Amino acid sequence: MTRDELRVLDALLVGNGYPDDVLDALLPHVAQYRELAAALRALPLGEVPNALVLPAGGRK
């Protein structure tokens, strides 16, 4: 993702109008998020029995 693509995404979703230096600082974090999101979507969570899946902060 480039700075201009991030600027377009910000304009569509949030509209903060960040300056170039802020967008440049955000780019590595956005790239890491996109990598991790793809990895999470690829996890075979449909194969895990429901008893083993607890909500975040849940107690057994």
Side-chain angles (χ1 to χ4, degrees), residues 27-57:
L27 275 172
H29 301 287
V30 171
Q32 184 180 26
Y33 167 79
R34 292 180 69 183
E35 275 182 36
L36 294 174
L40 284 173
R41 281 192 294 273
L43 289 175
L45 295 178
E47 300 170 9
V48 177
N50 288 339
L52 299 177
V53 179
L54 295 174

Side-chain angles (χ1 to χ4, degrees), residues 21-32:
D21 59 330
V22 173
L23 291 175
D24 289 339
L26 288 172
L27 275 172
H29 301 287
V30 171
Q32 184 180 26

